[in-house]
PDB file of all heavy atoms in Angstrom:
ATOM      1  N   SER A   5      47.889  69.715  67.978  1.00 44.00           N
ATOM      2  CA  SER A   5      48.516  69.174  66.774  1.00 44.00           C
ATOM      3  C   SER A   5      47.892  67.827  66.486  1.00 44.00           C
ATOM      4  O   SER A   5      47.802  66.988  67.369  1.00 44.00           O
ATOM      5  CB  SER A   5      50.018  69.017  67.013  1.00 44.00           C
ATOM      6  OG  SER A   5      50.601  68.354  65.932  1.00 44.00           O
ATOM      7  N   VAL A   6      47.435  67.641  65.271  1.00 47.00           N
ATOM      8  CA  VAL A   6      46.791  66.382  64.918  1.00 47.00           C
ATOM      9  C   VAL A   6      47.474  65.767  63.716  1.00 47.00           C
ATOM     10  O   VAL A   6      48.174  66.434  62.974  1.00 47.00           O
ATOM     11  CB  VAL A   6      45.280  66.586  64.615  1.00 47.00           C
ATOM     12  CG1 VAL A   6      44.549  67.032  65.837  1.00 47.00           C
ATOM     13  CG2 VAL A   6      45.072  67.550  63.494  1.00 47.00           C
ATOM     14  N   MET A   7      47.267  64.468  63.544  1.00 83.00           N
ATOM     15  CA  MET A   7      47.832  63.775  62.400  1.00 83.00           C
ATOM     16  C   MET A   7      46.973  63.987  61.160  1.00 83.00           C
ATOM     17  O   MET A   7      47.406  63.741  60.055  1.00 83.00           O
ATOM     18  CB  MET A   7      47.992  62.295  62.723  1.00 83.00           C
ATOM     19  CG  MET A   7      48.986  62.096  63.843  1.00 83.00           C
ATOM     20  SD  MET A   7      49.323  60.414  64.432  1.00 83.00           S
ATOM     21  CE  MET A   7      48.072  59.384  63.842  1.00 83.00           C
ATOM     22  N   ILE A   8      45.763  64.439  61.352  1.00 89.00           N
ATOM     23  CA  ILE A   8      44.877  64.722  60.240  1.00 89.00           C
ATOM     24  C   ILE A   8      45.417  65.952  59.508  1.00 89.00           C
ATOM     25  O   ILE A   8      45.719  66.967  60.124  1.00 89.00           O
ATOM     26  CB  ILE A   8      43.435  65.002  60.749  1.00 89.00           C
ATOM     27  CG1 ILE A   8      42.886  63.826  61.547  1.00 89.00           C
ATOM     28  CG2 ILE A   8      42.521  65.395  59.609  1.00 89.00           C
ATOM     29  CD1 ILE A   8      42.652  62.564  60.762  1.00 89.00           C
ATOM     30  N   SER A   9      45.539  65.876  58.194  1.00 90.00           N
ATOM     31  CA  SER A   9      46.084  66.986  57.404  1.00 90.00           C
ATOM     32  C   SER A   9      45.036  68.010  57.006  1.00 90.00           C
ATOM     33  O   SER A   9      45.352  69.175  56.822  1.00 90.00           O
ATOM     34  CB  SER A   9      46.720  66.451  56.118  1.00 90.00           C
ATOM     35  OG  SER A   9      47.790  65.612  56.420  1.00 90.00           O
ATOM     36  N   ALA A  10      43.789  67.542  56.822  1.00 93.00           N
ATOM     37  CA  ALA A  10      42.754  68.462  56.345  1.00 93.00           C
ATOM     38  C   ALA A  10      41.377  67.870  56.609  1.00 93.00           C
ATOM     39  O   ALA A  10      41.230  66.681  56.887  1.00 93.00           O
ATOM     40  CB  ALA A  10      42.917  68.717  54.850  1.00 93.00           C
ATOM     41  N   ILE A  11      40.416  68.736  56.483  1.00 95.00           N
ATOM     42  CA  ILE A  11      39.015  68.341  56.514  1.00 95.00           C
ATOM     43  C   ILE A  11      38.494  68.610  55.112  1.00 95.00           C
ATOM     44  O   ILE A  11      38.633  69.719  54.588  1.00 95.00           O
ATOM     45  CB  ILE A  11      38.227  69.151  57.554  1.00 95.00           C
ATOM     46  CG1 ILE A  11      38.799  68.881  58.952  1.00 95.00           C
ATOM     47  CG2 ILE A  11      36.753  68.820  57.497  1.00 95.00           C
ATOM     48  CD1 ILE A  11      38.823  70.077  59.823  1.00 95.00           C
ATOM     49  N   ILE A  12      37.954  67.591  54.487  1.00 96.00           N
ATOM     50  CA  ILE A  12      37.396  67.703  53.146  1.00 96.00           C
ATOM     51  C   ILE A  12      35.875  67.602  53.300  1.00 96.00           C
ATOM     52  O   ILE A  12      35.389  66.741  54.028  1.00 96.00           O
ATOM     53  CB  ILE A  12      37.887  66.558  52.225  1.00 96.00           C
ATOM     54  CG1 ILE A  12      39.403  66.381  52.292  1.00 96.00           C
ATOM     55  CG2 ILE A  12      37.387  66.755  50.803  1.00 96.00           C
ATOM     56  CD1 ILE A  12      40.217  67.489  51.730  1.00 96.00           C
ATOM     57  N   SER A  28      37.778  72.825  61.602  1.00 95.00           N
ATOM     58  CA  SER A  28      39.000  73.495  61.194  1.00 95.00           C
ATOM     59  C   SER A  28      39.469  74.480  62.260  1.00 95.00           C
ATOM     60  O   SER A  28      40.648  74.501  62.627  1.00 95.00           O
ATOM     61  CB  SER A  28      38.770  74.223  59.866  1.00 95.00           C
ATOM     62  OG  SER A  28      39.903  74.970  59.503  1.00 95.00           O
ATOM     63  N   LEU A  31      40.592  72.482  65.490  1.00 93.00           N
ATOM     64  CA  LEU A  31      41.758  71.605  65.345  1.00 93.00           C
ATOM     65  C   LEU A  31      42.949  72.290  64.673  1.00 93.00           C
ATOM     66  O   LEU A  31      44.024  71.695  64.580  1.00 93.00           O
ATOM     67  CB  LEU A  31      41.366  70.352  64.543  1.00 93.00           C
ATOM     68  CG  LEU A  31      40.280  69.493  65.186  1.00 93.00           C
ATOM     69  CD1 LEU A  31      39.819  68.411  64.227  1.00 93.00           C
ATOM     70  CD2 LEU A  31      40.769  68.893  66.496  1.00 93.00           C
ATOM     71  N   HIS A  32      42.744  73.506  64.182  1.00 93.00           N
ATOM     72  CA  HIS A  32      43.808  74.274  63.530  1.00 93.00           C
ATOM     73  C   HIS A  32      44.370  73.557  62.303  1.00 93.00           C
ATOM     74  O   HIS A  32      45.579  73.511  62.095  1.00 93.00           O
ATOM     75  CB  HIS A  32      44.924  74.618  64.527  1.00 93.00           C
ATOM     76  CG  HIS A  32      44.417  75.279  65.761  1.00 93.00           C
ATOM     77  ND1 HIS A  32      43.965  76.581  65.784  1.00 93.00           N
ATOM     78  CD2 HIS A  32      44.249  74.810  67.016  1.00 93.00           C
ATOM     79  CE1 HIS A  32      43.554  76.879  66.997  1.00 93.00           C
ATOM     80  NE2 HIS A  32      43.705  75.833  67.766  1.00 93.00           N
ATOM     81  N   ILE A  33      43.463  72.995  61.523  1.00 93.00           N
ATOM     82  CA  ILE A  33      43.838  72.376  60.247  1.00 93.00           C
ATOM     83  C   ILE A  33      42.884  72.900  59.182  1.00 93.00           C
ATOM     84  O   ILE A  33      41.762  73.279  59.490  1.00 93.00           O
ATOM     85  CB  ILE A  33      43.832  70.831  60.308  1.00 93.00           C
ATOM     86  CG1 ILE A  33      42.486  70.292  60.783  1.00 93.00           C
ATOM     87  CG2 ILE A  33      44.961  70.311  61.182  1.00 93.00           C
ATOM     88  CD1 ILE A  33      42.388  68.780  60.791  1.00 93.00           C
ATOM     89  N   PRO A  34      43.310  72.951  57.928  1.00 94.00           N
ATOM     90  CA  PRO A  34      42.458  73.548  56.892  1.00 94.00           C
ATOM     91  C   PRO A  34      41.261  72.678  56.503  1.00 94.00           C
ATOM     92  O   PRO A  34      41.308  71.453  56.615  1.00 94.00           O
ATOM     93  CB  PRO A  34      43.405  73.707  55.706  1.00 94.00           C
ATOM     94  CG  PRO A  34      44.455  72.664  55.912  1.00 94.00           C
ATOM     95  CD  PRO A  34      44.606  72.522  57.402  1.00 94.00           C
ATOM     96  N   ALA A  35      40.221  73.352  56.066  1.00 95.00           N
ATOM     97  CA  ALA A  35      39.033  72.682  55.531  1.00 95.00           C
ATOM     98  C   ALA A  35      38.900  73.090  54.071  1.00 95.00           C
ATOM     99  O   ALA A  35      39.061  74.262  53.732  1.00 95.00           O
ATOM    100  CB  ALA A  35      37.790  73.086  56.309  1.00 95.00           C
ATOM    101  N   PHE A  36      38.621  72.105  53.212  1.00 94.00           N
ATOM    102  CA  PHE A  36      38.511  72.356  51.782  1.00 94.00           C
ATOM    103  C   PHE A  36      37.230  71.756  51.229  1.00 94.00           C
ATOM    104  O   PHE A  36      36.869  70.629  51.579  1.00 94.00           O
ATOM    105  CB  PHE A  36      39.673  71.716  51.016  1.00 94.00           C
ATOM    106  CG  PHE A  36      41.025  72.236  51.397  1.00 94.00           C
ATOM    107  CD1 PHE A  36      41.892  71.452  52.128  1.00 94.00           C
ATOM    108  CD2 PHE A  36      41.434  73.508  51.024  1.00 94.00           C
ATOM    109  CE1 PHE A  36      43.142  71.914  52.483  1.00 94.00           C
ATOM    110  CE2 PHE A  36      42.682  73.986  51.367  1.00 94.00           C
ATOM    111  CZ  PHE A  36      43.538  73.185  52.098  1.00 94.00           C
ATOM    112  N   VAL A  41      40.046  70.973  46.418  1.00 70.00           N
ATOM    113  CA  VAL A  41      40.981  70.469  47.424  1.00 70.00           C
ATOM    114  C   VAL A  41      42.419  70.843  47.083  1.00 70.00           C
ATOM    115  O   VAL A  41      42.848  70.696  45.944  1.00 70.00           O
ATOM    116  CB  VAL A  41      40.849  68.937  47.565  1.00 70.00           C
ATOM    117  CG1 VAL A  41      41.879  68.394  48.525  1.00 70.00           C
ATOM    118  CG2 VAL A  41      39.464  68.587  48.048  1.00 70.00           C
ATOM    119  N   TYR A  42      43.111  71.308  48.097  1.00 74.00           N
ATOM    120  CA  TYR A  42      44.520  71.679  47.940  1.00 74.00           C
ATOM    121  C   TYR A  42      45.403  70.848  48.861  1.00 74.00           C
ATOM    122  O   TYR A  42      46.452  71.293  49.296  1.00 74.00           O
ATOM    123  CB  TYR A  42      44.710  73.167  48.237  1.00 74.00           C
ATOM    124  CG  TYR A  42      43.864  74.036  47.355  1.00 74.00           C
ATOM    125  CD1 TYR A  42      42.714  74.632  47.832  1.00 74.00           C
ATOM    126  CD2 TYR A  42      44.216  74.238  46.028  1.00 74.00           C
ATOM    127  CE1 TYR A  42      41.934  75.426  47.010  1.00 74.00           C
ATOM    128  CE2 TYR A  42      43.438  75.027  45.189  1.00 74.00           C
ATOM    129  CZ  TYR A  42      42.299  75.616  45.697  1.00 74.00           C
ATOM    130  OH  TYR A  42      41.527  76.395  44.871  1.00 74.00           O
ATOM    131  N   THR A  43      44.979  69.669  49.183  1.00 74.00           N
ATOM    132  CA  THR A  43      45.727  68.780  50.065  1.00 74.00           C
ATOM    133  C   THR A  43      46.323  67.665  49.224  1.00 74.00           C
ATOM    134  O   THR A  43      45.622  67.067  48.403  1.00 74.00           O
ATOM    135  CB  THR A  43      44.786  68.185  51.137  1.00 74.00           C
ATOM    136  OG1 THR A  43      44.287  69.258  51.925  1.00 74.00           O
ATOM    137  CG2 THR A  43      45.500  67.208  52.028  1.00 74.00           C
ATOM    138  N   PRO A  44      47.603  67.369  49.421  1.00 77.00           N
ATOM    139  CA  PRO A  44      48.226  66.288  48.652  1.00 77.00           C
ATOM    140  C   PRO A  44      47.491  64.953  48.837  1.00 77.00           C
ATOM    141  O   PRO A  44      47.004  64.648  49.924  1.00 77.00           O
ATOM    142  CB  PRO A  44      49.643  66.216  49.215  1.00 77.00           C
ATOM    143  CG  PRO A  44      49.883  67.559  49.810  1.00 77.00           C
ATOM    144  CD  PRO A  44      48.546  68.018  50.322  1.00 77.00           C
ATOM    145  N   LYS A  45      47.436  64.207  47.776  1.00 81.00           N
ATOM    146  CA  LYS A  45      46.785  62.892  47.804  1.00 81.00           C
ATOM    147  C   LYS A  45      47.480  61.983  48.817  1.00 81.00           C
ATOM    148  O   LYS A  45      48.670  62.121  49.074  1.00 81.00           O
ATOM    149  CB  LYS A  45      46.828  62.231  46.416  1.00 81.00           C
ATOM    150  CG  LYS A  45      46.112  63.020  45.344  1.00 81.00           C
ATOM    151  CD  LYS A  45      44.624  62.948  45.534  1.00 81.00           C
ATOM    152  CE  LYS A  45      43.917  63.665  44.389  1.00 81.00           C
ATOM    153  NZ  LYS A  45      42.513  63.754  44.552  1.00 81.00           N
ATOM    154  N   GLY A  46      46.697  61.077  49.400  1.00 83.00           N
ATOM    155  CA  GLY A  46      47.236  60.100  50.330  1.00 83.00           C
ATOM    156  C   GLY A  46      47.273  60.561  51.776  1.00 83.00           C
ATOM    157  O   GLY A  46      47.513  59.760  52.670  1.00 83.00           O
ATOM    158  N   ARG A  47      47.024  61.821  52.048  1.00 90.00           N
ATOM    159  CA  ARG A  47      47.073  62.348  53.409  1.00 90.00           C
ATOM    160  C   ARG A  47      45.867  61.891  54.224  1.00 90.00           C
ATOM    161  O   ARG A  47      44.810  61.612  53.692  1.00 90.00           O
ATOM    162  CB  ARG A  47      47.108  63.876  53.399  1.00 90.00           C
ATOM    163  CG  ARG A  47      48.324  64.470  52.746  1.00 90.00           C
ATOM    164  CD  ARG A  47      49.531  64.375  53.681  1.00 90.00           C
ATOM    165  NE  ARG A  47      50.741  64.867  53.081  1.00 90.00           N
ATOM    166  CZ  ARG A  47      51.191  66.102  53.182  1.00 90.00           C
ATOM    167  NH1 ARG A  47      50.506  67.008  53.833  1.00 90.00           N
ATOM    168  NH2 ARG A  47      52.317  66.437  52.597  1.00 90.00           N
ATOM    169  N   GLU A  48      46.039  61.863  55.545  1.00 93.00           N
ATOM    170  CA  GLU A  48      44.935  61.541  56.446  1.00 93.00           C
ATOM    171  C   GLU A  48      43.979  62.731  56.510  1.00 93.00           C
ATOM    172  O   GLU A  48      44.416  63.865  56.718  1.00 93.00           O
ATOM    173  CB  GLU A  48      45.444  61.224  57.852  1.00 93.00           C
ATOM    174  CG  GLU A  48      46.110  59.880  57.962  1.00 93.00           C
ATOM    175  CD  GLU A  48      46.374  59.473  59.399  1.00 93.00           C
ATOM    176  OE1 GLU A  48      45.959  60.175  60.339  1.00 93.00           O
ATOM    177  OE2 GLU A  48      46.997  58.413  59.568  1.00 93.00           O
ATOM    178  N   VAL A  49      42.682  62.452  56.335  1.00 95.00           N
ATOM    179  CA  VAL A  49      41.676  63.514  56.360  1.00 95.00           C
ATOM    180  C   VAL A  49      40.434  63.059  57.122  1.00 95.00           C
ATOM    181  O   VAL A  49      40.218  61.866  57.337  1.00 95.00           O
ATOM    182  CB  VAL A  49      41.256  63.957  54.935  1.00 95.00           C
ATOM    183  CG1 VAL A  49      42.445  64.461  54.134  1.00 95.00           C
ATOM    184  CG2 VAL A  49      40.529  62.847  54.194  1.00 95.00           C
ATOM    185  N   ILE A  50      39.650  64.051  57.499  1.00 96.00           N
ATOM    186  CA  ILE A  50      38.288  63.832  57.983  1.00 96.00           C
ATOM    187  C   ILE A  50      37.390  64.242  56.825  1.00 96.00           C
ATOM    188  O   ILE A  50      37.581  65.311  56.236  1.00 96.00           O
ATOM    189  CB  ILE A  50      37.978  64.703  59.218  1.00 96.00           C
ATOM    190  CG1 ILE A  50      38.866  64.306  60.396  1.00 96.00           C
ATOM    191  CG2 ILE A  50      36.494  64.590  59.590  1.00 96.00           C
ATOM    192  CD1 ILE A  50      38.757  65.247  61.586  1.00 96.00           C
ATOM    193  N   TYR A  70      42.455  59.886  49.345  1.00 92.00           N
ATOM    194  CA  TYR A  70      42.936  60.217  50.686  1.00 92.00           C
ATOM    195  C   TYR A  70      42.803  59.035  51.629  1.00 92.00           C
ATOM    196  O   TYR A  70      42.047  58.103  51.379  1.00 92.00           O
ATOM    197  CB  TYR A  70      42.148  61.409  51.255  1.00 92.00           C
ATOM    198  CG  TYR A  70      42.245  62.614  50.376  1.00 92.00           C
ATOM    199  CD1 TYR A  70      41.218  62.936  49.501  1.00 92.00           C
ATOM    200  CD2 TYR A  70      43.384  63.405  50.375  1.00 92.00           C
ATOM    201  CE1 TYR A  70      41.316  64.028  48.654  1.00 92.00           C
ATOM    202  CE2 TYR A  70      43.490  64.498  49.534  1.00 92.00           C
ATOM    203  CZ  TYR A  70      42.458  64.805  48.678  1.00 92.00           C
ATOM    204  OH  TYR A  70      42.568  65.870  47.847  1.00 92.00           O
ATOM    205  N   ASP A  71      43.518  59.125  52.726  1.00 94.00           N
ATOM    206  CA  ASP A  71      43.388  58.159  53.810  1.00 94.00           C
ATOM    207  C   ASP A  71      42.330  58.719  54.756  1.00 94.00           C
ATOM    208  O   ASP A  71      42.651  59.459  55.698  1.00 94.00           O
ATOM    209  CB  ASP A  71      44.738  57.981  54.515  1.00 94.00           C
ATOM    210  CG  ASP A  71      44.692  56.934  55.621  1.00 94.00           C
ATOM    211  OD1 ASP A  71      43.659  56.245  55.755  1.00 94.00           O
ATOM    212  OD2 ASP A  71      45.694  56.816  56.350  1.00 94.00           O
ATOM    213  N   ARG A  73      40.203  58.960  57.690  1.00 96.00           N
ATOM    214  CA  ARG A  73      40.257  58.383  59.032  1.00 96.00           C
ATOM    215  C   ARG A  73      38.940  58.518  59.768  1.00 96.00           C
ATOM    216  O   ARG A  73      38.670  57.795  60.714  1.00 96.00           O
ATOM    217  CB  ARG A  73      41.368  59.041  59.859  1.00 96.00           C
ATOM    218  CG  ARG A  73      42.754  58.936  59.257  1.00 96.00           C
ATOM    219  CD  ARG A  73      43.199  57.538  58.806  1.00 96.00           C
ATOM    220  NE  ARG A  73      42.903  56.502  59.765  1.00 96.00           N
ATOM    221  CZ  ARG A  73      42.508  55.265  59.455  1.00 96.00           C
ATOM    222  NH1 ARG A  73      42.380  54.887  58.202  1.00 96.00           N
ATOM    223  NH2 ARG A  73      42.242  54.390  60.390  1.00 96.00           N
ATOM    224  N   ALA A 173      39.445  63.525  67.424  1.00 92.00           N
ATOM    225  CA  ALA A 173      40.675  63.944  66.748  1.00 92.00           C
ATOM    226  C   ALA A 173      41.768  64.300  67.744  1.00 92.00           C
ATOM    227  O   ALA A 173      42.926  63.925  67.563  1.00 92.00           O
ATOM    228  CB  ALA A 173      40.389  65.123  65.820  1.00 92.00           C
ATOM    229  N   ARG A 176      43.188  61.115  69.510  1.00 81.00           N
ATOM    230  CA  ARG A 176      44.068  60.253  68.710  1.00 81.00           C
ATOM    231  C   ARG A 176      45.438  60.864  68.486  1.00 81.00           C
ATOM    232  O   ARG A 176      46.337  60.227  67.972  1.00 81.00           O
ATOM    233  CB  ARG A 176      43.398  59.832  67.404  1.00 81.00           C
ATOM    234  CG  ARG A 176      43.361  60.850  66.309  1.00 81.00           C
ATOM    235  CD  ARG A 176      42.585  60.359  65.106  1.00 81.00           C
ATOM    236  NE  ARG A 176      43.191  59.250  64.431  1.00 81.00           N
ATOM    237  CZ  ARG A 176      44.051  59.347  63.425  1.00 81.00           C
ATOM    238  NH1 ARG A 176      44.404  60.512  62.986  1.00 81.00           N
ATOM    239  NH2 ARG A 176      44.542  58.270  62.876  1.00 81.00           N
ATOM    240  N   THR A 177      45.614  62.117  68.898  1.00 74.00           N
ATOM    241  CA  THR A 177      46.931  62.733  68.769  1.00 74.00           C
ATOM    242  C   THR A 177      47.757  62.587  70.037  1.00 74.00           C
ATOM    243  O   THR A 177      48.953  62.818  70.019  1.00 74.00           O
ATOM    244  CB  THR A 177      46.821  64.239  68.456  1.00 74.00           C
ATOM    245  OG1 THR A 177      46.205  64.898  69.554  1.00 74.00           O
ATOM    246  CG2 THR A 177      46.074  64.468  67.184  1.00 74.00           C
TER     247      THR A 177
END
Side-chain angles (χ1 to χ4, degrees):
S5 173
V6 295
M7 296 179 345
I8 302 294
S9 298
I11 298 142
I12 311 292
S28 175
L31 299 171
H32 307 287
I33 55 177
F36 299 108
V41 176
Y42 302 104
T43 297
K45 299 288 184 186
R47 297 283 177 93
E48 286 191 5
V49 301
I50 296 172
Y70 302 100
D71 183 7
R73 302 310 315 143
R176 78 184 294 269
T177 64

